[in-house]
């Protein structure tokens, strides 16, 4: 998404020079969200972008992995020889973290690429017993698809609750029941000792039958290929970009999951592994390459997840909040949570309440302060709670 949108934004903003999009995968550029939904369930054959790259004058170099970059020479290293550039945009995304000890074990899967989804389609079609390792966003989405396909699903999570790394305990707690409602088994405080063919062995000795094992324990920026380049990396091995998404190397930008940027809105550097960041950031990159002076890149982060019959949306960044306000009953089908900092809305999570999300996102952009009493009343539109 980030690479494609950068190329398209350059053309939309009037850049007339050559644009080359290099990718290691052999497939036409594609969108990732359908991989855990329609593509996985066999309802779609692929998710290629509906973009006429030839008409836009964008050259696609597919199936060509980049192994290094030499900023002083303005060259990329590839297995097929060097590629020269005037301006380089790093949009390599993130790569899933593998479960130690599972390399080469048959039946162990990741879900990040089109090839991953294609390998998993027969698992769902054959209604195999599935063990999902990790109750994060991707684990919940895969479990949802697997249950829809009729698979027996067990989700094992080392933490005490789903989404432990993403949401506070009190907010994630109501989501625990969603698994049982769908017919999936959720085992928390469950660590995987090892994976054998057909079996997942937990640290307490429990043996779970598994025709397939799907690992969803997080992702890290795909930046190992930048080792020795001199391009600054952050504490998560992400490319460190400024508020114009420039890196520490001249004529090199970074956008999407592989990079972090400083947020004036939240007073910290953000590393956002979500689709919307890969959609929004390229516009800033393109404007800077062309020579315009765009506003600093400081979006309100946004993402969504479809899981267990619920549409979950989140906007903002709640780490610095000092007050949490509930809107609605979290045991019901529709509810929201608002995070405030000194009275100002900084984040909102909406389950089945898309209007709360849309209004909340705008209120965050405006830096609006909210009346906590009105905010807590789900019958009051969120925008009416603004002071």
């Amino acid at each position: 998404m980030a690479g494609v949108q950068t190329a398209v934004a350059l053309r939309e903003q009037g850049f007339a020079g050559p644009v080359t999009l290099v990718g290691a995968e052999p497939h036409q550029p594609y969108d990732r969200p359908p991989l855990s939904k329609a593509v996985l369930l066999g309802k779609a054959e692929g998710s290629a972008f509906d973009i006429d790259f030839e008409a836009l004058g964008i050259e696609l170099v597919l199936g060509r992995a980049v192994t290094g970059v030499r900023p002083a020479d303005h060259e990329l290293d590839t297995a097929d020889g060097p590629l020269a550039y005037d301006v380089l945009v790093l949009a390599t995304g993130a790569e899933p973290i593998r479960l130690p000890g599972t390399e080469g074990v048959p039946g162990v899967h990741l879900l990040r690429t089109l090839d991953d989804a294609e390998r998993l389609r027969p698992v769902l079609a054959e209604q195999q017993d599935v063990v999902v390792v990790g109750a994060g966003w991707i684990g919940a989405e895969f479990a949802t698809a697997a249950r829809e396909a009729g698979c027996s699903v067990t989700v094992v999570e080392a933490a005490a609750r789903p989404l432990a790394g993403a949401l506070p305990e009190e907010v994630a707690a109501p989501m625990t029941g969603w698994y049982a409602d769908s017919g999936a088994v959720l085992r928390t405080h469950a660590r995987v000792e090892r994976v054998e063919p057909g079996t997942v062995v937990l640290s307490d000795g429990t043996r779970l039958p598994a025709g397939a094992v799907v690992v969803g324990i997080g992702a890290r920026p795909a930046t190992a290929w930048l080792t020795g380049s001199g391009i600054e990396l952050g504490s998560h091995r992400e490319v460190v970009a400024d508020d114009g998404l420039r890196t520490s190397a001249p004529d090199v930008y970074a956008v999407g999951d592989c990079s972090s940027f400083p947020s004036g809105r939240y007073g910290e550097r953000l590393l956002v592994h979500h689709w919307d960041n890969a959609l929004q950031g390229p516009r800033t990159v393109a404007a800077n390459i062309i020579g315009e002076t765009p506003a600093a890149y400081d979006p309100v982060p946004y993402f969504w997840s479809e899981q267990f019959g619920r549409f979950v949306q989140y906007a903002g960044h709640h780490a610095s909040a000092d007050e949490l306000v509930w809107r609605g009953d979290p045991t019901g089908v529709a509810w929201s949570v608002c995070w405030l900092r000194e009275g100002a809305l900084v984040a909102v999570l909406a389950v089945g309440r898309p209007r709360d999300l849309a209004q909340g996102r705008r209120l965050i952009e405006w830096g609006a302060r909210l009346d906590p009493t009105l905010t807590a009343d789900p019958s009051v539109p969120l925008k009416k709670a603004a002071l």
Side-chain angles (χ1 to χ4, degrees):
M1 171 60 82
V4 166
Q5 290 300 324
T6 299
V8 171
L10 283 165
R11 290 296 186 234
E12 288 178 344
Q13 296 184 31
F15 182 75
V19 176
T20 304
L21 190 60
V22 184
E25 293 184 66
H27 311 291
Q28 285 286 305
Y30 59 88
D31 204 7
R32 292 190 189 277
L35 299 183
S36 62
K37 304 171 183 71
V39 174
L40 189 61
L41 288 166
K43 297 177 180 179
E45 288 305 311
S47 57
F49 291 111
D50 185 17
I51 296 171
D52 191 335
F53 292 100
E54 185 177 358
L56 289 172
I58 297 170
E59 180 186 1
L60 296 181
V61 178
L62 304 176
R64 189 169 180 179
V66 177
T67 58
V69 58
R70 289 172 283 113
D73 299 327
H74 279 59
E75 281 190 338
L76 293 171
D77 292 319
T78 79
D80 298 319
L83 282 177
Y85 66 84
D86 294 314
V87 176
L88 174 65
V89 181
L90 307 177
T92 49
E95 55 193 3
I97 297 171
R98 298 178 180 273
L99 189 64
T102 59
E103 293 80 0
V105 178
V108 178
H109 299 263
L110 301 168
L111 181 52
R112 183 76 183 187
T113 68
L114 179 59
D115 289 337
D116 291 337
E118 292 291 350
R119 283 189 286 267
L120 277 165
R121 280 170 69 162
V123 171
L124 271 60
E126 296 163 10
Q127 297 185 333
Q128 297 183 22
D129 292 343
V130 176
V131 172
V132 180
V133 183
W137 300 112
I138 193 66
E141 290 187 4
F142 178 80
T144 298
R147 285 299 301 139
E148 184 177 333
C151 297
S152 172
V153 177
T154 301
V155 181
V156 296
E157 169 59 52
R161 62 187 186 281
L163 297 169
L167 296 173
E169 181 176 1
E170 60 191 305
V171 177
M175 300 176 179
T176 301
W178 298 357
Y179 289 78
D181 291 346
S182 75
V185 175
L186 173 65
R187 298 182 66 118
T188 56
H189 299 289
R191 293 189 175 276
V192 175
E193 180 71 25
R194 65 184 182 278
V195 178
E196 302 171 352
T199 306
V200 173
V201 183
L202 303 182
S203 57
D204 65 0
T206 302
R207 299 177 67 87
L208 302 174
V213 179
V214 178
V215 179
I217 55 175
R220 58 168 63 94
T223 58
W225 67 283
L226 293 172
T227 300
S229 68
I231 293 174
E232 182 184 357
L233 302 181
S235 58
H236 299 282
R237 303 299 293 168
E238 87 283 9
V239 180
V240 173
D242 67 11
D243 61 8
L245 301 183
R246 305 173 190 85
T247 74
S248 62
D251 303 320
V252 180
Y253 296 78
V255 65
D257 291 5
C258 71
S259 64
S260 64
F261 57 89
S263 171
R265 187 190 315 277
Y266 292 106
E268 61 181 286
R269 181 165 287 276
L270 298 183
L271 174 60
V272 180
H273 280 194
H274 293 297
W275 185 91
D276 191 65
N277 181 47
L279 177 68
Q280 304 294 340
R283 298 166 188 164
T284 295
V285 172
N288 276 316
I289 290 173
I290 290 168
E292 297 179 5
T293 53
Y297 185 63
D298 196 7
V300 174
Y302 166 74
F303 71 88
W304 78 97
S305 177
E306 297 177 67
Q307 51 183 268
F308 308 118
R310 294 166 173 83
F311 188 44
V312 183
Q313 295 172 283
Y314 177 96
H317 181 63
H318 66 265
S320 63
D322 53 33
E323 185 175 3
L324 187 150
V325 181
W326 290 89
R327 284 172 60 80
D329 180 0
T331 64
V333 296
W335 49 275
S336 298
V337 175
C338 295
W339 284 270
L340 309 180
R341 182 182 64 208
E342 297 178 355
L345 184 66
V346 294
V348 59
L349 173 82
V351 177
R353 291 181 64 95
R355 185 173 297 179
D356 278 3
L357 190 287
Q359 293 181 8
R361 192 177 185 182
R362 287 194 293 270
L363 291 169
I364 297 169
E365 289 172 349
W366 298 337
R369 295 172 58 83
L370 302 187
D371 179 318
T373 303
L374 291 176
T375 301
D377 186 343
S379 69
V380 176
L382 201 52
K383 63 183 180 181
K384 297 292 187 182
L387 296 173

